[in-house]
Protein backbone atom coordinates (compact mmCIF):
# COMPACT_ATOMS: atom_id res chain seq x y z
CA UNK A 1 0.00 0.00 0.00
CA UNK A 2 2.68 2.48 1.03
CA UNK A 3 6.28 2.42 -0.16
CA UNK A 4 8.72 1.74 2.65
CA UNK A 5 6.12 2.69 5.26
CA UNK A 6 6.07 6.25 3.92
CA UNK A 7 2.61 6.83 5.41
CA UNK A 8 4.52 7.33 8.68
CA UNK A 9 8.24 7.50 7.83
CA UNK A 10 9.49 10.45 5.81
CA UNK A 11 13.16 9.54 5.53
CA UNK A 12 16.02 7.48 6.91
CA UNK A 13 19.55 8.71 7.38
CA UNK A 14 22.86 7.21 8.41
CA UNK A 15 25.91 9.26 9.29
CA UNK A 16 29.42 8.01 9.97
CA UNK A 17 31.85 10.29 11.83
CA UNK A 18 35.50 9.88 10.83
CA UNK A 19 38.75 11.71 11.50
CA UNK A 20 42.12 11.62 9.82
CA UNK A 21 45.08 10.23 11.70
CA UNK A 22 47.59 12.77 13.06
CA UNK A 23 45.60 15.90 12.24
CA UNK A 24 44.12 17.82 15.22
CA UNK A 25 40.32 17.65 15.47
CA UNK A 26 38.34 20.60 14.01
CA UNK A 27 37.78 22.23 17.43
CA UNK A 28 41.45 23.23 17.62
CA UNK A 29 42.87 22.76 14.14
CA UNK A 30 44.54 25.53 12.16
CA UNK A 31 43.23 26.79 8.82
CA UNK A 32 46.12 25.03 7.10
CA UNK A 33 45.01 21.73 8.71
CA UNK A 34 41.47 22.33 7.49
CA UNK A 35 42.70 22.90 3.94
CA UNK A 36 44.78 19.78 4.22
CA UNK A 37 41.70 17.79 5.27
CA UNK A 38 39.75 19.08 2.26
CA UNK A 39 42.63 18.06 -0.05
CA UNK A 40 42.94 14.59 1.47
CA UNK A 41 39.23 13.86 1.22
CA UNK A 42 38.94 15.24 -2.32
CA UNK A 43 41.95 13.21 -3.42
CA UNK A 44 40.43 10.09 -1.88
CA UNK A 45 37.16 10.70 -3.72
CA UNK A 46 38.70 11.57 -7.08
CA UNK A 47 41.26 8.79 -7.10
CA UNK A 48 38.43 6.31 -6.83
CA UNK A 49 36.79 5.37 -10.09
CA UNK A 50 33.41 4.60 -8.56
CA UNK A 51 33.19 7.76 -6.48
CA UNK A 52 34.87 10.32 -8.71
CA UNK A 53 32.07 10.81 -11.21
CA UNK A 54 29.29 11.20 -8.69
CA UNK A 55 29.89 14.29 -6.57
CA UNK A 56 29.38 18.03 -6.76
CA UNK A 57 31.53 20.29 -4.55
CA UNK A 58 30.16 22.97 -2.24
CA UNK A 59 32.62 25.32 -0.59
CA UNK A 60 30.75 27.05 2.25
CA UNK A 61 32.68 30.28 1.80
CA UNK A 62 31.78 30.54 -1.86
CA UNK A 63 28.10 29.77 -1.83
CA UNK A 64 25.47 32.29 -0.78
CA UNK A 65 23.43 32.11 2.45
CA UNK A 66 20.24 31.08 0.62
CA UNK A 67 21.96 28.15 -1.04
CA UNK A 68 23.50 27.07 2.28
CA UNK A 69 20.16 27.30 4.03
CA UNK A 70 18.52 25.35 1.24
CA UNK A 71 21.07 22.54 1.62
CA UNK A 72 20.28 22.40 5.35
CA UNK A 73 16.54 22.33 4.71
CA UNK A 74 16.99 19.42 2.31
CA UNK A 75 19.05 17.69 5.02
CA UNK A 76 22.03 17.47 2.68
CA UNK A 77 24.31 19.30 5.09
CA UNK A 78 24.05 20.01 8.81
CA UNK A 79 23.32 23.46 10.29
CA UNK A 80 26.80 23.30 11.88
CA UNK A 81 28.51 22.86 8.53
CA UNK A 82 26.49 25.71 7.00
CA UNK A 83 27.80 27.95 9.77
CA UNK A 84 31.43 27.16 9.06
CA UNK A 85 31.96 29.61 6.23
CA UNK A 86 35.68 29.57 6.91
CA UNK A 87 36.57 26.00 5.96
CA UNK A 88 33.35 24.02 5.73
CA UNK A 89 33.14 21.95 2.58
CA UNK A 90 30.75 19.37 1.21
CA UNK A 91 30.74 16.82 -1.57
CA UNK A 92 27.19 15.89 -2.45
CA UNK A 93 26.21 13.07 -4.74
CA UNK A 94 24.33 14.25 -7.81
CA UNK A 95 21.17 12.34 -6.87
CA UNK A 96 21.26 13.89 -3.36
CA UNK A 97 21.45 10.54 -1.55
CA UNK A 98 25.01 10.90 -0.24
CA UNK A 99 26.87 13.81 1.35
CA UNK A 100 30.44 13.91 2.53
CA UNK A 101 30.72 16.77 5.01
CA UNK A 102 34.22 18.10 5.63
CA UNK A 103 35.42 20.13 8.64
CA UNK A 104 32.26 20.00 10.65
CA UNK A 105 32.53 18.67 14.21
CA UNK A 106 34.71 15.87 12.81
CA UNK A 107 37.05 15.94 9.82
CA UNK A 108 34.56 14.09 7.73
CA UNK A 109 31.10 12.71 8.01
CA UNK A 110 29.62 10.38 5.47
CA UNK A 111 25.87 10.78 5.29
CA UNK A 112 23.35 8.78 3.30
CA UNK A 113 19.68 9.68 3.10
CA UNK A 114 16.79 7.68 1.65
CA UNK A 115 13.04 8.11 1.48
CA UNK A 116 10.84 6.07 3.81
CA UNK A 117 12.02 3.38 6.20
CA UNK A 118 15.32 2.33 4.64
CA UNK A 119 17.90 2.43 7.42
CA UNK A 120 19.64 -0.81 6.46
CA UNK A 121 20.08 0.25 2.88
CA UNK A 122 21.34 3.67 4.02
CA UNK A 123 23.87 1.89 6.26
CA UNK A 124 25.01 -0.43 3.46
CA UNK A 125 25.70 2.50 1.16
CA UNK A 126 27.51 4.50 3.87
CA UNK A 127 29.56 1.43 4.78
CA UNK A 128 30.68 0.97 1.15
CA UNK A 129 31.63 4.61 0.69
CA UNK A 130 33.54 4.44 3.97
CA UNK A 131 35.49 1.42 2.66
CA UNK A 132 36.29 3.17 -0.62
CA UNK A 133 37.50 6.31 1.15
CA UNK A 134 39.56 4.27 3.58
CA UNK A 135 41.66 2.98 0.69
CA UNK A 136 43.20 6.44 0.54
CA UNK A 137 42.65 7.93 4.00
CA UNK A 138 44.26 6.84 7.25
CA UNK A 139 41.50 7.14 9.81
CA UNK A 140 42.07 7.92 13.48
CA UNK A 141 41.26 4.53 14.94
CA UNK A 142 42.01 2.71 18.14
CA UNK A 143 41.75 -1.04 18.57
CA UNK A 144 39.94 -0.73 21.90
CA UNK A 145 37.50 2.11 21.34
CA UNK A 146 37.18 2.16 17.56
CA UNK A 147 36.85 5.28 15.43
CA UNK A 148 38.03 8.33 17.37
CA UNK A 149 35.73 11.31 17.19
CA UNK A 150 35.90 14.86 18.40
CA UNK A 151 33.07 14.24 20.88
CA UNK A 152 33.01 11.07 23.05
CA UNK A 153 29.28 10.70 22.38
CA UNK A 154 30.14 9.52 18.83
CA UNK A 155 33.20 7.37 19.51
CA UNK A 156 33.37 3.68 18.52
CA UNK A 157 31.30 3.12 15.43
CA UNK A 158 30.79 6.83 14.81
CA UNK A 159 27.34 5.89 13.57
CA UNK A 160 24.23 7.96 13.99
CA UNK A 161 21.18 6.45 12.32
CA UNK A 162 18.04 8.53 12.29
CA UNK A 163 14.52 8.26 11.04
CA UNK A 164 12.05 11.08 10.52
CA UNK A 165 8.51 10.13 11.43
CA UNK A 166 5.16 11.90 11.10
CA UNK A 167 2.97 11.14 14.14
CA UNK A 168 -0.23 13.20 13.91
CA UNK A 169 -2.64 10.62 15.31
CA UNK A 170 -0.52 9.85 18.37
CA UNK A 171 -0.44 13.57 18.93
CA UNK A 172 -4.21 14.05 18.53
CA UNK A 173 -4.97 11.14 20.86
CA UNK A 174 -2.48 12.43 23.43
CA UNK A 175 -0.29 9.34 23.47
CA UNK A 176 2.78 11.03 22.03
CA UNK A 177 4.35 12.15 25.32
CA UNK A 178 4.31 8.68 26.82
CA UNK A 179 5.66 7.03 23.73
CA UNK A 180 8.52 9.47 23.23
CA UNK A 181 9.44 9.27 26.91
CA UNK A 182 9.62 5.50 26.85
CA UNK A 183 11.62 5.54 23.64
CA UNK A 184 14.15 7.89 25.27
CA UNK A 185 14.52 5.44 28.16
CA UNK A 186 15.71 2.69 25.84
CA UNK A 187 18.46 4.78 24.31
CA UNK A 188 16.74 6.51 21.40
CA UNK A 189 17.13 10.28 21.14
CA UNK A 190 14.15 12.36 20.00
CA UNK A 191 14.45 15.73 18.32
CA UNK A 192 12.59 18.06 16.02
CA UNK A 193 12.91 18.11 12.26
CA UNK A 194 16.23 19.95 12.02
CA UNK A 195 18.13 18.17 14.74
CA UNK A 196 19.41 19.14 18.10
CA UNK A 197 17.40 21.62 20.09
CA UNK A 198 14.74 22.12 17.48
CA UNK A 199 11.09 21.91 18.29
CA UNK A 200 8.74 19.51 16.65
CA UNK A 201 6.82 21.16 13.84
CA UNK A 202 3.95 19.49 12.06
CA UNK A 203 4.15 16.45 14.38
CA UNK A 204 7.41 15.43 12.75
CA UNK A 205 10.03 13.83 14.99
CA UNK A 206 13.52 12.60 14.40
CA UNK A 207 14.48 9.41 16.24
CA UNK A 208 18.11 8.33 16.45
CA UNK A 209 20.42 5.96 18.28
CA UNK A 210 22.18 7.24 21.37
CA UNK A 211 24.84 4.59 21.85
CA UNK A 212 27.73 4.38 19.39
CA UNK A 213 30.23 2.29 21.35
CA UNK A 214 30.03 -1.34 22.45
CA UNK A 215 27.51 -2.48 19.85
CA UNK A 216 27.96 -3.51 16.24
CA UNK A 217 26.60 -1.16 13.60
CA UNK A 218 23.99 -3.64 12.48
CA UNK A 219 22.74 -4.12 16.05
CA UNK A 220 22.38 -0.37 16.42
CA UNK A 221 20.47 -0.18 13.12
CA UNK A 222 18.21 -3.12 13.94
CA UNK A 223 17.45 -1.74 17.38
CA UNK A 224 16.36 1.60 15.92
CA UNK A 225 14.41 -0.11 13.16
CA UNK A 226 12.59 -2.26 15.72
CA UNK A 227 11.57 0.77 17.76
CA UNK A 228 10.44 2.65 14.66
CA UNK A 229 8.34 -0.31 13.52
CA UNK A 230 6.54 -0.36 16.85
CA UNK A 231 5.90 3.35 16.61
CA UNK A 232 4.57 2.88 13.07
CA UNK A 233 2.13 0.27 14.39
CA UNK A 234 1.02 2.54 17.21
CA UNK A 235 0.52 5.48 14.88
CA UNK A 236 -1.42 3.39 12.36
CA UNK A 237 -3.64 2.01 15.08
CA UNK A 238 -4.35 5.51 16.39
CA UNK A 239 -5.14 6.69 12.84
CA UNK A 240 -7.48 3.81 12.36
CA UNK A 241 -9.22 4.45 15.69
CA UNK A 242 -9.67 8.10 14.90
CA UNK A 243 -11.07 7.32 11.48
CA UNK A 244 -13.57 4.74 12.72
CA UNK A 245 -14.61 6.27 16.05
CA UNK A 246 -14.27 9.99 15.30
CA UNK A 247 -14.91 10.02 11.59
CA UNK A 248 -16.90 13.24 11.36
CA UNK A 249 -14.47 15.13 13.58
CA UNK A 250 -11.54 13.89 11.49
CA UNK A 251 -13.21 14.85 8.23
CA UNK A 252 -13.97 18.25 9.73
CA UNK A 253 -10.41 18.73 10.93
CA UNK A 254 -8.83 17.67 7.65
CA UNK A 255 -11.36 19.63 5.60
CA UNK A 256 -10.66 22.83 7.54
CA UNK A 257 -6.90 22.43 7.20
CA UNK A 258 -7.27 21.76 3.49
CA UNK A 259 -9.57 24.76 3.11
CA UNK A 260 -7.06 27.07 4.78
CA UNK A 261 -3.99 25.76 3.05
CA UNK A 262 -5.58 25.92 -0.40
CA UNK A 263 -7.00 29.42 0.02
CA UNK A 264 -4.43 31.20 2.16
CA UNK A 265 -2.96 34.51 1.00
CA UNK A 266 -0.35 34.75 3.75
CA UNK A 267 1.30 31.62 5.12
CA UNK A 268 4.20 31.34 7.56
CA UNK A 269 6.31 28.20 7.78
CA UNK A 270 4.86 27.40 11.21
CA UNK A 271 1.29 27.72 10.03
CA UNK A 272 2.05 25.66 6.94
CA UNK A 273 3.59 22.90 9.07
CA UNK A 274 0.54 22.78 11.35
CA UNK A 275 -1.91 22.59 8.45
CA UNK A 276 0.28 20.20 6.50
CA UNK A 277 0.16 17.70 9.34
CA UNK A 278 -3.64 17.45 9.11
CA UNK A 279 -3.63 17.51 5.32
CA UNK A 280 -1.05 14.71 5.17
CA UNK A 281 -3.06 12.65 7.63
CA UNK A 282 -6.17 13.30 5.55
CA UNK A 283 -4.34 12.14 2.42
CA UNK A 284 -3.22 8.90 4.07
CA UNK A 285 -6.76 8.25 5.34
CA UNK A 286 -8.09 9.03 1.85
CA UNK A 287 -10.30 11.81 3.17
CA UNK A 288 -8.75 14.03 0.49
CA UNK A 289 -7.16 13.00 -2.75
CA UNK A 290 -3.55 14.17 -2.71
CA UNK A 291 -0.40 12.12 -3.20
CA UNK A 292 1.65 12.16 0.03
CA UNK A 293 4.86 12.28 -2.02
CA UNK A 294 3.70 15.63 -3.40
CA UNK A 295 2.93 16.91 0.10
CA UNK A 296 6.39 15.87 1.30
CA UNK A 297 8.03 17.61 -1.62
CA UNK A 298 6.00 20.73 -0.89
CA UNK A 299 7.02 20.64 2.77
CA UNK A 300 10.66 20.73 1.72
CA UNK A 301 10.15 23.42 -0.91
CA UNK A 302 8.27 25.94 1.25
CA UNK A 303 11.06 26.21 3.84
CA UNK A 304 12.50 29.76 3.75
CA UNK A 305 15.80 28.93 2.02
CA UNK A 306 14.29 26.59 -0.54
CA UNK A 307 11.46 29.00 -1.31
CA UNK A 308 13.88 31.85 -1.95
CA UNK A 309 15.99 29.56 -4.06
CA UNK A 310 12.97 28.57 -6.16
CA UNK A 311 11.95 32.23 -6.53
CA UNK A 312 15.54 33.07 -7.39
CA UNK A 313 15.90 36.00 -5.01
CA UNK A 314 16.19 37.03 -1.40
CA UNK A 315 12.95 38.34 0.10
CA UNK A 316 12.03 39.51 3.58
CA UNK A 317 9.98 37.28 5.89
CA UNK A 318 6.60 38.93 5.40
CA UNK A 319 6.74 38.94 1.63
CA UNK A 320 7.98 35.38 1.85
CA UNK A 321 4.76 34.43 3.64
CA UNK A 322 2.77 35.84 0.72
CA UNK A 323 4.91 34.06 -1.88
CA UNK A 324 4.68 30.86 0.16
CA UNK A 325 0.90 31.04 0.14
CA UNK A 326 0.89 31.60 -3.65
CA UNK A 327 3.22 28.67 -4.18
CA UNK A 328 1.25 26.30 -1.95
CA UNK A 329 -2.13 27.23 -3.43
CA UNK A 330 -0.80 26.73 -6.94
CA UNK A 331 0.71 23.33 -6.12
CA UNK A 332 -2.26 22.04 -4.15
CA UNK A 333 -4.90 23.10 -6.60
CA UNK A 334 -2.68 21.82 -9.43
CA UNK B 1 18.67 43.41 23.71
CA UNK B 2 19.31 44.77 20.23
CA UNK B 3 20.62 42.77 17.30
CA UNK B 4 24.46 42.67 17.15
CA UNK B 5 24.45 43.20 13.42
CA UNK B 6 21.85 45.82 12.49
CA UNK B 7 21.52 47.27 16.00
CA UNK B 8 17.93 48.18 15.09
CA UNK B 9 15.62 45.27 15.69
CA UNK B 10 15.38 43.26 18.90
CA UNK B 11 17.63 40.17 19.06
CA UNK B 12 15.52 37.04 19.18
CA UNK B 13 18.04 34.49 17.89
CA UNK B 14 20.89 33.64 20.22
CA UNK B 15 23.62 31.25 19.32
CA UNK B 16 27.12 30.21 20.23
CA UNK B 17 29.69 28.98 17.82
CA UNK B 18 33.11 27.55 18.47
CA UNK B 19 35.63 27.85 15.69
CA UNK B 20 39.22 26.83 16.37
CA UNK B 21 38.48 26.83 20.09
CA UNK B 22 37.29 30.43 20.08
CA UNK B 23 33.78 30.81 21.41
CA UNK B 24 31.65 33.57 19.94
CA UNK B 25 28.21 34.44 21.20
CA UNK B 26 25.90 36.29 18.86
CA UNK B 27 22.51 37.83 19.33
CA UNK B 28 20.69 38.59 16.13
CA UNK B 29 17.27 39.57 14.95
CA UNK B 30 15.39 37.07 12.81
CA UNK B 31 16.13 38.89 9.60
CA UNK B 32 19.87 39.20 10.15
CA UNK B 33 20.09 35.59 11.28
CA UNK B 34 18.40 34.52 8.06
CA UNK B 35 20.68 36.75 6.00
CA UNK B 36 23.69 35.20 7.67
CA UNK B 37 22.27 31.85 6.60
CA UNK B 38 22.99 30.65 10.09
CA UNK B 39 19.67 29.22 10.93
CA UNK B 40 16.37 28.80 9.35
CA UNK B 41 14.69 31.52 11.35
CA UNK B 42 11.08 30.60 10.71
CA UNK B 43 11.58 26.98 11.56
CA UNK B 44 13.64 27.71 14.62
CA UNK B 45 11.67 30.65 15.93
CA UNK B 46 10.19 29.19 19.08
CA UNK B 47 12.78 26.56 19.77
CA UNK B 48 12.96 26.05 23.51
CA UNK B 49 9.66 24.30 24.08
CA UNK B 50 10.63 20.93 22.63
CA UNK B 51 13.69 18.97 23.67
CA UNK B 52 12.83 15.66 25.33
CA UNK B 53 16.41 14.61 24.95
CA UNK B 54 19.61 15.55 23.24
CA UNK B 55 23.16 14.32 23.09
CA UNK B 56 24.67 17.60 24.23
CA UNK B 57 22.34 17.82 27.21
CA UNK B 58 23.28 14.32 28.18
CA UNK B 59 26.97 15.05 27.96
CA UNK B 60 26.69 18.29 29.92
CA UNK B 61 24.57 16.58 32.56
CA UNK B 62 27.00 13.73 32.97
CA UNK B 63 30.03 15.95 33.18
CA UNK B 64 28.51 17.92 36.01
CA UNK B 65 27.62 14.72 37.76
CA UNK B 66 31.05 13.10 37.58
CA UNK B 67 33.62 13.99 40.26
CA UNK B 68 36.16 16.53 39.10
CA UNK B 69 39.24 14.37 39.39
CA UNK B 70 41.42 16.94 37.69
CA UNK B 71 40.55 19.75 40.05
CA UNK B 72 41.01 17.65 43.15
CA UNK B 73 44.71 17.35 42.52
CA UNK B 74 45.66 20.90 41.82
CA UNK B 75 48.55 21.16 39.41
CA UNK B 76 48.18 17.55 38.31
CA UNK B 77 45.32 18.05 35.98
CA UNK B 78 45.32 15.64 33.08
CA UNK B 79 46.52 17.21 29.88
CA UNK B 80 47.15 15.91 26.37
CA UNK B 81 50.85 16.31 25.54
CA UNK B 82 50.13 16.24 21.85
CA UNK B 83 47.60 19.08 21.59
CA UNK B 84 47.64 20.69 25.03
CA UNK B 85 43.97 20.14 25.79
CA UNK B 86 43.11 19.78 29.49
CA UNK B 87 40.09 18.05 30.95
CA UNK B 88 38.75 21.43 32.06
CA UNK B 89 38.89 22.69 28.50
CA UNK B 90 37.05 19.58 27.39
CA UNK B 91 34.39 20.14 30.05
CA UNK B 92 33.75 23.61 28.70
CA UNK B 93 33.39 22.74 25.04
CA UNK B 94 32.57 19.01 25.02
CA UNK B 95 35.17 18.62 22.27
CA UNK B 96 38.49 16.83 22.29
CA UNK B 97 41.54 18.27 20.56
CA UNK B 98 43.12 15.27 18.90
CA UNK B 99 43.12 11.49 18.79
CA UNK B 100 45.79 11.29 21.52
CA UNK B 101 43.39 12.98 23.96
CA UNK B 102 41.62 9.63 24.34
CA UNK B 103 44.80 8.13 25.83
CA UNK B 104 45.95 11.20 27.75
CA UNK B 105 42.60 11.85 29.42
CA UNK B 106 41.44 8.25 29.65
CA UNK B 107 41.14 8.22 33.45
CA UNK B 108 38.41 10.82 33.15
CA UNK B 109 37.00 9.95 29.74
CA UNK B 110 36.52 6.23 30.32
CA UNK B 111 33.94 6.59 33.13
CA UNK B 112 32.16 9.23 31.06
CA UNK B 113 32.04 7.01 27.96
CA UNK B 114 30.91 4.05 30.05
CA UNK B 115 27.98 6.11 31.33
CA UNK B 116 27.04 7.32 27.87
CA UNK B 117 27.41 4.03 26.00
CA UNK B 118 27.27 1.40 28.71
CA UNK B 119 30.53 -0.03 27.43
CA UNK B 120 34.00 1.10 26.42
CA UNK B 121 34.80 -1.76 24.11
CA UNK B 122 34.44 -1.26 20.38
CA UNK B 123 32.71 -4.16 18.66
CA UNK B 124 31.91 -2.47 15.36
CA UNK B 125 33.66 -2.00 12.09
CA UNK B 126 37.42 -2.37 11.71
CA UNK B 127 39.08 -0.38 8.93
CA UNK B 128 40.61 -2.72 6.35
CA UNK B 129 43.97 -1.03 6.04
CA UNK B 130 44.81 0.04 9.58
CA UNK B 131 43.15 -2.91 11.19
CA UNK B 132 44.42 -5.85 9.11
CA UNK B 133 45.38 -8.16 11.97
CA UNK B 134 42.53 -7.22 14.30
CA UNK B 135 40.19 -7.72 11.42
CA UNK B 136 41.57 -11.14 10.58
CA UNK B 137 41.44 -12.21 14.22
CA UNK B 138 37.81 -11.24 14.47
CA UNK B 139 37.00 -12.89 11.15
CA UNK B 140 38.63 -16.13 12.35
CA UNK B 141 36.51 -16.03 15.51
CA UNK B 142 33.35 -15.56 13.50
CA UNK B 143 34.29 -18.39 11.10
CA UNK B 144 34.96 -20.70 14.06
CA UNK B 145 31.51 -19.98 15.43
CA UNK B 146 30.00 -20.78 12.05
CA UNK B 147 32.09 -23.95 11.82
CA UNK B 148 30.85 -25.13 15.20
CA UNK B 149 27.29 -24.54 14.11
CA UNK B 150 27.82 -26.31 10.79
CA UNK B 151 29.28 -29.37 12.56
CA UNK B 152 26.36 -29.44 14.99
CA UNK B 153 23.93 -29.33 12.08
CA UNK B 154 25.96 -32.02 10.32
CA UNK B 155 26.52 -29.75 7.32
CA UNK B 156 29.89 -31.31 6.65
CA UNK B 157 30.51 -29.89 3.20
CA UNK B 158 30.02 -26.37 4.49
CA UNK B 159 32.15 -27.20 7.52
CA UNK B 160 35.02 -28.29 5.30
CA UNK B 161 34.90 -25.02 3.37
CA UNK B 162 34.90 -23.05 6.61
CA UNK B 163 37.80 -25.07 8.03
CA UNK B 164 39.91 -24.35 4.95
CA UNK B 165 39.15 -20.66 5.17
CA UNK B 166 40.17 -20.55 8.83
CA UNK B 167 43.45 -22.38 8.05
CA UNK B 168 44.20 -19.98 5.25
CA UNK B 169 43.63 -16.92 7.43
CA UNK B 170 45.61 -18.35 10.32
CA UNK B 171 48.52 -19.08 8.02
CA UNK B 172 48.42 -15.58 6.58
CA UNK B 173 48.29 -13.74 9.89
CA UNK B 174 50.28 -16.23 11.99
CA UNK B 175 47.36 -16.83 14.34
ZN1 LIG C 1 19.47 42.60 12.87
ZN1 LIG D 1 45.02 15.91 22.29
Amino acid sequence: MFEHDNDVVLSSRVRLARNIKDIPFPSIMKDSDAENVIDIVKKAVYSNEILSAQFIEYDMKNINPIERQSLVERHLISPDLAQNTKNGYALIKKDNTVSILINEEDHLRIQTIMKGLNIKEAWNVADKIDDLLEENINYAYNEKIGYLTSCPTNVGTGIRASVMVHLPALSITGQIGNILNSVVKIGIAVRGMYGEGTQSLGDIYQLSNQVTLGQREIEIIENLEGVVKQIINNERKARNDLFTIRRVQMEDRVGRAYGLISNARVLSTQEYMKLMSDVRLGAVLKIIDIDIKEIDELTTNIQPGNLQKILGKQIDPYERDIKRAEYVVQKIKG
Amino acid sequence: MLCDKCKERPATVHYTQIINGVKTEMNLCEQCAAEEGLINNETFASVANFTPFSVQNLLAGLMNFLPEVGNTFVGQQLKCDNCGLTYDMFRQTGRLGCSHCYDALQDELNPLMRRIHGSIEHRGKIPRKTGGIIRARREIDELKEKLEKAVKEEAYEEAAVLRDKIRELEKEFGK
Side-chain angles (χ1 to χ4, degrees), chain A residues 251-271:
Chain A
E251 285 176 349
D252 180 64
R253 186 180 173 122
V254 170
R256 282 166 190 266
Y258 182 75
L260 278 173
I261 214 169
S262 55
N263 288 289
R265 288 281 287 115
V266 183
L267 195 57
S268 68
T269 308
Q270 276 104 326
E271 191 184 7

Side-chain angles (χ1 to χ4, degrees), chain B residues 2-163:
Chain B
L2 285 179
C3 168
D4 290 344
K5 198 180 163 202
C6 66
K7 304 203 165 40
E8 275 174 18
R9 293 174 286 265
T12 51
V13 180
H14 312 278
Y15 77 98
T16 307
Q17 65 177 6
I18 298 161
I19 293 177
N20 298 335
V22 182
K23 196 163 149 188
T24 330
E25 275 169 36
M26 293 273 277
N27 304 289
L28 299 174
C29 67
E30 276 193 22
Q31 202 167 325
C32 290
E35 278 166 14
E36 290 286 304
L38 294 168
I39 46 165
N40 167 343
N41 66 313
E42 291 183 14
T43 314
F44 286 70
S46 47
V47 172
N49 60 30
F50 169 73
T51 330
F53 201 74
S54 92
V55 180
Q56 290 316 320
N57 290 352
L58 175 90
L59 187 61
L62 285 176
M63 284 200 284
N64 293 333
F65 173 80
L66 288 168
E68 294 182 35
V69 181
N71 289 348
T72 329
F73 306 98
V74 182
Q76 290 188 356
Q77 204 199 153
L78 292 181
K79 185 178 168 184
C80 173
D81 284 338
N82 187 54
C83 74
L85 188 101
T86 63
Y87 190 68
D88 260 2
M89 287 155 80
F90 166 69
R91 282 172 69 101
Q92 278 168 33
T93 60
R95 301 279 180 274
L96 295 167
C98 75
S99 55
H100 300 272
C101 290
Y102 279 98
D103 289 326
L105 309 181
Q106 63 173 321
D107 288 351
E108 288 170 332
L109 286 179
N110 284 358
L112 178 69
M113 292 193 297
R114 200 184 291 280
R115 288 197 75 97
I116 297 171
H117 302 288
S119 161
I120 49 167
E121 212 175 304
H122 178 58
R123 290 181 53 233
K125 200 171 165 174
I126 300 164
R128 272 169 217 282
K129 214 169 41 181
T130 2
I133 293 171
I134 327 166
R135 206 186 173 90
R137 217 182 291 143
R138 192 182 295 174
E139 200 176 327
I140 291 171
D141 284 347
E142 279 169 13
L143 287 171
K144 280 184 177 163
E145 261 174 52
K146 276 189 197 160
L147 175 63
E148 215 172 290
K149 207 173 146 220
V151 171
K152 239 182 231 161
E153 288 166 1
E154 299 182 8
Y156 295 119
E157 266 174 52
E158 196 194 330
V161 175
L162 288 166
R163 182 203 55 206

